[in-house]
Amino acid sequence: MSRRLAAALALALPLSASAQTVHRFPPEGPQDHRTEPFDAGVVGPADSEQTAREYVLADDWHTLPPINYIPPPYAAQALEGIRLCLDPGHGGDADRRGYKRGSTGFRESVMNLTVARYVREFLEASGAEVVMTREDDTDPEGGSLEYRGRLADRENCDLFISLHHNATSRGDANYLSIWYHARPDSPLANVDLARHLALSMNDLMRHAEPHHMGLYSDWLMYPPDPEEGHPDVLRMDTVATRPSGFGVLRHARVPAVLVEGSFYTNRDEELRLMDREYLRREAWGVYMGIVNYLWAGIPAITLHPDQPGTVTGPRPTIRLSLDDGMHEGWARNAPPRIQRQTLTLYIDDERCDTRYIPSRAELQVTPRADLAPGEHGVRLRVLNAWGNWSWPREVRFTVE
Ligand SMILES: [Zn+2]
C-alpha cells in the first residue's frame, strides 16, 4: 500500500466511525498498550547475550490501516449464547533456557496469553462467554494437552481455539498458519472456522509471506496410519490406533483449531510481538474471524415441538425441526437455506431414512435397523447457503 493511501485511510476511518453510535474496546482505560511493560520474567533469560533493549522497536506495522476496535453491528447477534474455550499455548516456562522464545528471549507462552486475554475481552464485550485453559503463566495439569482439549467439552463450550506462535530454523520465515484437525479434504465445521480466521488474520497482520493462505490440516504434520485411520466426521474424533494430528486438537470434541499467529524466530516479527498494540491487532483478527464464522450461521436440528422425547420401538420415526442458522428476519419463515444435496442424517452414527419437508422446515428420520430400548441420538450433516457445516451435535431420544 502506498503511504498516501494509508494516510487517506487513517483519516477516513475515524471520520466514518464517528458518524454513528459505537462501542469501543476498551470503553475506558489506556488506549496505548505500548506504555504497559510486560511483567518481570517475561523477557529472558535469552538464548544469547542480546537483549531486547539492544534493538530499536520495529515500527513498520504502524503504517498499516488502523483498527478502530469497533465491533460490527452483527457481532452481538452472532455471539449470543456462544461459549468459547481459548487455549493460550504453553506456560510456566520462564526458567527453561532457550525454550519457545525468540532471540531476545521473549517467550511464546507470554505472547499467547496476551493475545488470548485480548480475544476474551473482545468476545465478552460482544456477549459471548469465554473459558480459558490457563489464566496465568502456568502449564495446567502438568502440561497435559488432553486436559486442555477436553476442557472445552467439560465446560460445554461450542468452539475450541488454541493460540500459539510459530518457530522454525529459517530466520526470515513469517506467515500465518491455522491448523484444523482433519484429513486435508475433510468437510468439517473446524475447517469453516479455520478459513474465517485465516482470512481476517491475514488481512490484519500482513505477514511478510502473504502467499501462504494459512489453512492447514494437522494431518499434514502428523498423519495417521493410512490403513487404520479415518476422520469421524460426526464426532470430530480421529479413529486410529496411532495418534494423528495435534494432541490438543485430537482431544477436543467440538470444532477446534490451532492458530500459529506468526513466527517469533523472525527477529523483526519478535520485536513486533513485543508491542502490546500489535498483539491486540492480532487478537482483533482472531475475534473478527470468530464473529464472521458464527455470523454465517450454524445449521442445526431440534426435536419437533410435537415430537415426544420417548418413543415406541423398534423403528420409530422421529420428527425434527431444521434451522439453517442464518439470521435474516423477513426470511426466517422461508424454507431453510441449506445445500440440499449435502443433507444427511444419522441415528447412532448410522445413515437413516430421511423425509425432508422444506415448507415446514421439518425432517422425519427412521432407522434402517431395529433400535434397542434405551437412549439414542440423531446427528445432522448439512451445509447452509453461507457455506457453514453443521456442528457434530446429537439430539437425544429414548426408545421404550
Ligand atoms: Zn506453541
Side-chain angles (χ1 to χ4, degrees):
M1 172 185 299
S2 73
R3 275 195 192 148
R4 182 177 295 182
L5 180 55
L9 276 171
L11 277 175
L13 282 173
L15 277 178
S16 59
S18 65
Q20 48 185 293
T21 307
V22 292
H23 179 89
R24 271 188 179 279
F25 292 120
E28 53 197 65
Q31 294 293 317
D32 185 354
H33 294 266
R34 284 170 291 166
T35 60
E36 299 173 28
F38 281 99
D39 300 338
V42 160
V43 180
D47 247 354
S48 65
E49 294 307 307
Q50 292 175 307
T51 70
R53 277 180 290 279
E54 292 172 30
Y55 300 130
V56 176
L57 189 67
D59 206 38
D60 51 348
W61 70 266
H62 291 286
T63 60
L64 292 174
I67 303 171
N68 53 21
Y69 295 108
I70 297 168
Y74 51 84
Q77 190 171 352
L79 292 169
E80 186 186 333
I82 295 290
R83 257 170 93 80
L84 292 103
C85 185
L86 298 179
D87 172 41
H90 317 292
D93 44 28
D95 298 330
R96 296 179 65 181
R97 178 167 288 270
Y99 179 76
K100 303 244 179 230
R101 61 198 68 200
S103 62
T104 75
F106 189 41
R107 288 191 284 133
E108 187 205 335
S109 57
V110 175
M111 309 165 198
N112 301 340
L113 183 60
T114 308
V115 171
R117 284 174 173 162
Y118 286 142
V119 176
R120 175 174 62 182
E121 174 196 335
F122 299 148
L123 288 169
E124 287 182 343
S126 299
E129 292 177 42
V130 176
V131 172
M132 303 260 282
T133 57
R134 66 180 175 104
E135 298 278 351
D136 50 25
D137 190 13
T138 55
D139 199 357
E141 301 290 316
S144 164
L145 294 177
E146 182 169 348
Y147 164 80
R148 294 181 186 234
R150 289 270 157 85
L151 188 67
D153 209 36
R154 281 204 304 279
E155 292 283 340
N156 287 318
C157 294
D158 301 295
L159 301 171
F160 177 87
I161 299 177
S162 191
L163 296 165
H164 287 253
H165 292 80
N166 219 337
T168 182
S169 56
R170 181 165 68 86
D172 61 340
N174 194 26
Y175 55 89
L176 176 74
S177 30
I178 314 282
W179 299 85
Y180 55 87
H181 179 60
R183 203 175 60 196
D185 61 349
S186 291
L188 288 170
N190 47 11
V191 187
D192 299 335
L193 173 60
R195 195 168 55 237
H196 280 281
L197 288 169
L199 276 170
S200 71
M201 292 184 73
N202 265 330
D203 194 33
L204 284 165
M205 296 179 73
R206 313 289 175 104
H207 300 76
E209 298 179 300
H211 50 280
H212 287 261
M213 291 186 76
L215 193 64
Y216 301 94
S217 159
D218 64 358
W219 283 31
L220 298 172
M221 201 72 98
Y222 302 105
D225 187 323
E227 295 299 311
E228 299 185 60
H230 68 273
D232 185 332
V233 295
L234 293 172
R235 293 185 182 277
M236 293 288 169
D237 295 5
T238 299
V239 180
T241 49
R242 188 172 79 191
S244 66
F246 291 155
V248 73
L249 298 184
R250 190 166 63 242
H251 293 296
R253 295 286 178 273
V254 297
V257 298
L258 186 145
V259 173
E260 299 273 12
S262 61
F263 282 77
Y264 57 82
T265 42
N266 177 307
R267 204 189 77 168
D268 289 342
E269 182 66 11
E270 185 193 3
L271 294 177
R272 282 187 282 269
L273 290 164
M274 292 171 74
D275 184 336
R276 282 182 188 272
E277 194 61 36
Y278 184 71
L279 296 179
R280 196 165 167 81
R281 167 179 280 265
E282 178 181 335
W284 187 254
V286 175
Y287 164 79
M288 282 305 302
I290 296 167
V291 167
N292 286 328
Y293 165 62
L294 290 171
W295 176 246
I298 312 300
I301 47 172
T302 49
L303 281 184
H304 190 278
D306 297 333
Q307 174 63 53
T310 300
V311 295
T312 306
R315 295 203 191 183
T317 292
I318 307 293
R319 296 177 70 191
L320 302 161
S321 300
L322 174 64
D323 181 356
D324 59 24
M326 292 164 61
H327 304 284
E328 280 139 299
W330 68 266
R332 192 165 290 152
N333 296 321
R337 287 149 294 173
I338 57 163
Q339 297 190 16
R340 194 166 172 170
Q341 73 278 13
T342 66
L343 180 66
T344 318
L345 282 112
Y346 303 79
I347 295 178
D348 300 343
D349 299 349
E350 296 292 333
R351 287 277 293 266
C352 57
D353 292 324
T354 302
R355 182 167 171 242
Y356 175 39
I357 308 154
S359 60
R360 300 209 303 259
E362 183 177 337
L363 293 158
Q364 297 174 0
V365 295
T366 311
R368 292 175 182 172
D370 291 356
L371 298 182
E375 267 226 315
H376 298 273
V378 190
R379 288 175 197 265
L380 166 75
R381 279 199 79 224
V382 77
L383 201 58
N384 76 6
W386 212 314
N388 266 3
W389 285 103
S390 47
W391 285 347
R393 290 227 169 123
E394 217 169 31
V395 170
R396 309 292 296 176
F397 64 94
T398 302
V399 173
E400 53 177 20

